[in-house]
Amino acid sequence: MTDTRQVVVVTGGTRGVGAGIARSFLAAGARVVVCARRAPERPVEAAGATAEFRPLDVRDAAAVPAFLARVAADHGSLDALVNNAGGTPHAPLAGADPVRQAKIVELNLLAPLHASLAAYEVMRAQDTGGSITMIGSVSGTRPSPGTAAYGAAKAGLENLARTMAVEWAPAVRVNTVVLGLARTESAHVHYGDEAGVARVARTVPLGRLAEPSDVGDACVFLASGRAGYISGASLHLHGGGERPAFLAAASADHPTYGGTAS
C-alpha cells in the first residue's frame, strides 16, 4: 500500500498506461487525480474507489502550476506526481514536419519539465516532501527509427530526472520508469492484430508485453516509503529487454544460442 492516503496526480491518466497507473494507486489506497484534455469515456476505478478527473493540457505551461496548487489546496497535499502523458505517431525522420517534431518534444520532455517544476514548488513546502516519477521509454535508450524525436525526448527526460534528483534532494525524490513494449487498447496500432501482438510478445524474454498494471505497481512502489532511499534511479520495466539481433542470426548454426548444430 501507499503511505496513508497519499494524494497522487497522474497526467494522461484517463486511458492506457496512465489509467493502469491510476488504478494501481487507487488499489493501494491513494486519492488519485487524473488529468487530460478530455474526460474519460468511463470513470477510472479500482478497489471501490474512483479517480477524480480534472481537465488539463499539460503542454500549457502557464496552467500547470495553478492546477497542481489547486489539487494540493483541495486535498491537503500533493504527495506524488506521475508524468505519464506522452506519445508519438510513427513516421520516418527524413522529410518530417519540423513543427510536428517540436510538438512531440514539447509533449514528452518540456511538459514533464514544467509539471515537475510546479510540483516541486508545492512539495518542498510540505513536511513530508514528495516524489515525482517520469514514465520513460526504451526508445530513449537505443536507436528509435520511426519515432526519433520521441526517443530523443525520452532520453532527455531520463537525464532530467537524474538532475532533478540531485538538485531537489532531500525534499523531493525523482525517478524514471523506463518502459518497454506495453499492451494497451491501442496496441494494435503499433503491433497489428492479435497474431501480431503475440509475435511481438515472443521477442520479449518474459514472453509477454507489459500490462498497464505492471507499470502502475512500479509507480506505487517508487512513490512509497519503501522506496524512501531511491532517487535518481531508472527502473527498467521491459521484461528482460530485447534479444540482440545477432542471436537470431546465429541460432541456426550455434547450439549455444538456441539452435541446433548442423
Side-chain angles (χ1 to χ4, degrees):
M1 296 182 65
T2 61
D3 302 329
T4 305
R5 298 298 285 165
Q6 278 192 339
V7 177
V8 180
V9 171
V10 182
T11 68
T14 59
R15 60 189 179 92
V17 167
I21 294 169
R23 292 188 188 100
S24 291
F25 274 106
L26 289 170
R31 289 174 288 175
V32 180
V33 177
V34 296
C35 61
R37 287 180 296 168
R38 292 179 291 274
E41 294 181 1
R42 294 183 298 276
V44 179
E45 300 174 320
T50 302
E52 176 189 350
F53 169 75
R54 298 191 183 193
L56 177 70
D57 184 343
V58 294
R59 297 170 299 183
D60 186 348
V64 171
F67 175 90
L68 292 177
R70 175 53 58 188
V71 169
D74 291 346
H75 291 283
S77 66
L78 173 62
D79 301 296
L81 168 68
V82 181
N83 282 308
N84 164 77
T88 183
H90 187 279
L93 187 57
D97 179 0
V99 173
R100 191 169 191 178
Q101 298 304 302
K103 288 183 178 296
I104 292 170
V105 174
E106 179 185 24
L107 175 61
N108 291 282
L109 178 58
L110 297 183
L113 168 61
H114 296 146
S116 298
L117 287 167
Y120 171 68
E121 291 302 319
V122 175
M123 292 174 176
R124 70 172 179 161
Q126 301 175 160
D127 291 340
T128 54
S131 75
I132 297 171
T133 302
M134 310 292 196
I135 302 302
S137 171
V138 294
S139 293
T141 67
R142 52 150 170 77
S144 187
T147 55
Y150 173 81
K154 289 298 188 181
L157 186 65
E158 189 175 352
N159 182 273
L160 178 66
R162 290 197 295 268
T163 300
M164 287 176 172
V166 174
E167 291 193 3
W168 295 352
V172 178
R173 296 184 299 105
V174 188
N175 294 291
T176 304
V177 173
V178 182
L179 180 58
L181 306 179
R183 182 182 185 116
T184 67
E185 59 264 37
S186 61
H188 67 281
V189 174
H190 302 284
Y191 312 131
D193 58 14
E194 282 300 312
V197 171
R199 286 193 298 271
V200 172
R202 287 195 292 270
T203 70
V204 179
L206 287 187
R208 66 177 179 86
L209 305 184
E211 297 290 342
S213 59
D214 293 317
V215 191
D217 290 346
C219 291
V220 169
F221 167 67
L222 289 174
S224 74
R226 294 193 175 191
Y229 199 64
I230 299 176
S231 193
S234 297
L235 174 58
H236 286 72
L237 195 75
H238 53 23
E242 300 174 352
R243 287 172 57 84
F246 80 84
L247 294 180
S251 62
D253 299 316
H254 202 302
T256 302
Y257 299 138
T260 56
S262 56

